[in-house]
Amino acid sequence: MAAAETEAEGEEVAKLHLPAEIDWEMLDKSRFFVLGAALFSAVSAALYPAVVLKTRLQVCHPAPPSACAAAAAILRREGLLGFYRGFATSLAGTVPARTLYMAALEVTKSTVGTATIQLGVSETTASAVASAVAGLSAAVAAQVVWTPIDVISQRLMVQGHHRLTRKYLGGIDAFRKIVASDGIRGLYRGFGMSILTYAPSNAVWWASYSLSQKLIWSGIGYYLCRLRFGFEEQEYGNSSGGAVKPEHRTVVVVQGLSAAMAGGAAALVTMPLDTIKTRIQVMEGGKEGPMTIGRTVRSLIREGGWSACYRGLGPRWASMSMSATTMITTYEFLKRLSTKKQEGFDI
């Protein structure tokens, strides 16, 4: 009886036809990068206020009673423009950084995925491994461009809100003053911590995203398939009963939910590293010399114990979850817009 039910369920699951994965070779590269620059710039603009709030909370001493209180203070003292300090600098770095990130991500995922499958690894494991390695390489590649942009934009975000920050007239002025005082090395302050923060975070994020999608489709997707909710009937192969294909909105919901889960988990795990990185990048060392990891950690513990490492967790959690959901749905949409026309390929 149980065996018969299992067999019947297996036949139902086999009828679920998911959209094919789009790899690097299937993309029109020029369209991919041009549309990507426009789409991700718009997404960055929408999410930037949460980044400003998170950064202010990480360096502010004494700490505000809550993230809402900090947001209200910014709005009261600086108006809406206070939430966009350093945005022009950040936007200037978004295009080259995202270009490097997407290229490294897709090339690595395609290469590692193919190589892993050839070794006889299951498709699910191969997908998770390829996604993790791709996320790692993409994060490292992007940080070469993003760290200097991050240093400048974050200093503009917090200037005047901590005794160990300088005053700048804008992004270009900040660039000149940082190079004049610390050389090019000053633009890469916190580069090591950035790698330690974003490389494992991206590896975990992409692997979790890949696995989350498979879990959701095999769980919720199975029951939705049986109810025919958010799915449409189609004929595939020689199956007498045909097959069901998820509607576009169903695919987007599953992708968004998977991204939010992966983004929230990554935010929680890497929050202390992000707080240390931010302080190293924006705070001057004073007479005691440049800020180091050890000195930063000691300063945080003096200010509020280990919990100080989690200042700004709420905004960062919200920012990363919303960013992950928005970015991945935009990213998957971008890939489908940029796909070369191929016979027999169903997107």
Side-chain angles (χ1 to χ4, degrees), residues 72-189:
I74 294 173
L75 192 61
R76 185 173 60 255
R77 296 170 187 168
E78 305 168 53
L80 286 174
L81 289 179
F83 287 102
Y84 283 90
R85 278 196 177 188
F87 178 67
T89 301
S90 179
L91 187 61
T94 293
V95 175
R98 287 289 176 191
T99 299
L100 269 174
Y101 187 93
M102 292 187 294
L105 180 74
E106 290 301 327
V107 170
T108 307
K109 189 191 293 185
S110 180
T111 304
V112 175
T114 302
T116 309
I117 289 176
Q118 289 175 348
L119 292 173
V121 179
S122 68
E123 187 177 342
T124 300
T125 304
S127 177
V129 170
S131 295
V133 176
L136 189 87
S137 67
V140 173
Q143 285 308 308
V144 174
V145 173
W146 192 250
T147 298
I149 298 297
D150 213 18
V151 169
I152 295 172
S153 62
Q154 286 185 335
R155 290 194 180 199
L156 293 173
M157 289 178 198
V158 303
Q159 65 174 341
H161 291 270
H162 196 284
R163 61 184 180 84
L164 295 179
T165 57
R166 291 184 177 182
K167 290 280 189 178
Y168 304 104
L169 300 177
I172 296 176
D173 183 54
F175 174 83
R176 288 172 178 166
K177 287 180 178 177
I178 292 170
V179 172
S181 64
D182 303 322
I184 296 297
R185 185 178 179 181
L187 294 172
Y188 282 90
R189 184 185 285 188

Side-chain angles (χ1 to χ4, degrees), residues 5 49 51-52 76 83 111 123 129 136-137 141 179 184 189 194-195 224 236 241 243 247 253 262 265 278 317 327 341:
E5 288 179 359
V51 178
V52 172
R76 185 173 60 255
F83 287 102
T111 304
E123 187 177 342
V129 170
L136 189 87
S137 67
V179 172
I184 296 297
R189 184 185 285 188
S194 293
I195 296 297
L224 290 178
Y236 287 99
E247 296 174 355
V253 168
T278 301
W317 182 291
M327 289 290 186
K341 292 184 178 179

Side-chain angles (χ1 to χ4, degrees), residues 56-66 69-70 73 77 161-163 279 302-304 308 311:
R56 292 272 185 98
L57 287 169
Q58 286 177 322
V59 302
C60 190
H61 181 64
S66 67
R77 296 170 187 168
H161 291 270
H162 196 284
R163 61 184 180 84
R279 287 203 162 208
R302 279 198 307 269
E303 290 179 16
R311 281 183 189 166

Side-chain angles (χ1 to χ4, degrees), residues 19-71:
E21 180 72 19
I22 301 171
D23 63 28
W24 181 247
E25 299 302 323
M26 299 176 182
L27 296 174
D28 180 329
K29 310 303 186 296
S30 58
R31 193 191 309 170
F32 180 68
F33 289 125
V34 171
L35 289 175
L39 288 172
F40 285 117
S41 294
V43 172
S44 296
L47 298 173
Y48 195 77
V51 178
V52 172
L53 181 59
K54 181 268 301 182
T55 304
R56 292 272 185 98
L57 287 169
Q58 286 177 322
V59 302
C60 190
H61 181 64
S66 67
C68 291

Side-chain angles (χ1 to χ4, degrees), residues 213-233:
Q213 278 202 94
K214 295 185 185 305
L215 287 172
I216 291 172
W217 283 123
S218 63
I220 299 173
Y222 164 71
Y223 289 106
L224 290 178
C225 175
R226 294 192 67 177
L227 295 171
R228 300 298 190 267
F229 180 77
F231 290 80
E232 56 188 25
E233 295 278 357

